[in-house]
Amino acid sequence: MTINRLASTLLLAGLALGTTASHADGLRFFPGLDKDFKAEPSLALSAGVMGAAATNSDSMFVYGLDFNMNCGLIQTPDNRIRTHVQINHVDESGMKATSFELSPRYTVPLGSGFSLGAGPVLGVVLADNGRNDKSLFGYGAVVGANYRKGMYYSGLDLRYLNTSQSDGVSFENWALMAKVGINF
């Protein structure tokens, strides 16, 4: 699957979930400042495969951490927006990269602890192609499925990230990552 096709698929999935989100009445701003706010955080280890245009490789191993919680900046009345902060690292095919990503996602509960979410991704990628190393701005989209039950948390994300280019260094990529962790 080409990166453009993947980006189109993620965009359509995000728009489909976004139509549901647009019907949510009563958005709250800065709910994290309310004394009754419940963050319900989760922390997970993640691992998966990544494909990057700069390396022409669709099977680089990527690993990292995922921290997510109910969004404290903007929230629906039924707490469907969760913010994911991810740190991912890859060191293969002549490319070393660490990304720091922020992804607020509108989630739809599917029942029995399962949910499906989609949203934008903003990030910074520290990329080194062996000739130059640069800090690159990144943006993209993500869709993910999550399972939360008691202290157990797991999920699967499909993410596309486009980056700026600087001195011949770029790191446009997609990643499919599984994650396992705990709820607090």
Side-chain angles (χ1 to χ4, degrees), residues 28-39 69-75 79:
R28 298 175 313 200
F29 294 93
F30 302 106
L33 299 176
D34 295 343
K35 64 180 178 184
D36 298 332
F37 178 75
K38 292 182 180 146
M69 65 181 196
N70 287 333
C71 185
L73 298 177
I74 186 170
Q75 195 55 262
N79 287 330

Side-chain angles (χ1 to χ4, degrees), residues 1-29:
M1 177 180 282
T2 67
I3 289 183
N4 288 337
R5 260 188 171 162
L6 180 62
S8 298
T9 302
L10 288 172
L11 180 62
L12 288 174
L15 289 174
L17 280 172
T19 59
T20 304
S22 68
H23 297 291
D25 290 329
L27 284 177
R28 298 175 313 200
F29 294 93

Side-chain angles (χ1 to χ4, degrees), residues 19-103:
T19 59
T20 304
S22 68
H23 297 291
D25 290 329
L27 284 177
R28 298 175 313 200
F29 294 93
F30 302 106
L33 299 176
D34 295 343
K35 64 180 178 184
D36 298 332
F37 178 75
K38 292 182 180 146
E40 299 178 351
S42 300
L43 180 64
L45 296 174
S46 58
V49 294
M50 178 182 281
T55 65
N56 293 323
S57 178
D58 286 343
S59 60
M60 294 186 296
F61 176 70
V62 60
Y63 61 93
L65 288 173
D66 177 283
F67 173 75
N68 64 81
M69 65 181 196
N70 287 333
C71 185
L73 298 177
I74 186 170
Q75 195 55 262
T76 62
D78 49 1
N79 287 330
R80 290 197 177 177
I81 300 176
R82 287 192 64 84
T83 298
H84 290 249
V85 177
Q86 294 178 305
I87 300 170
N88 297 316
H89 183 74
V90 65
D91 186 359
E92 281 190 40
S93 302
M95 180 62 87
K96 231 190 267 193
T98 301
S99 64
F100 302 90
E101 303 168 15
L102 176 66
S103 174

Side-chain angles (χ1 to χ4, degrees), residues 109-170:
L110 302 175
S112 300
F114 290 97
S115 64
L116 184 64
V121 178
L122 293 176
V124 173
V125 179
L126 307 175
D128 182 350
N129 66 4
R131 295 179 303 279
N132 290 318
D133 60 282
K134 294 292 177 185
S135 297
L136 308 169
F137 169 73
Y139 62 92
V142 63
V143 294
N146 296 291
Y147 178 73
R148 296 170 47 103
K149 200 66 154 189
M151 286 191 66
Y152 179 75
Y153 170 77
S154 62
L156 185 66
D157 286 349
L158 178 59
R159 191 258 303 131
Y160 166 76
L161 189 69
N162 190 11
T163 64
S164 57
Q165 183 172 342
S166 179
D167 292 332
V169 179
S170 67

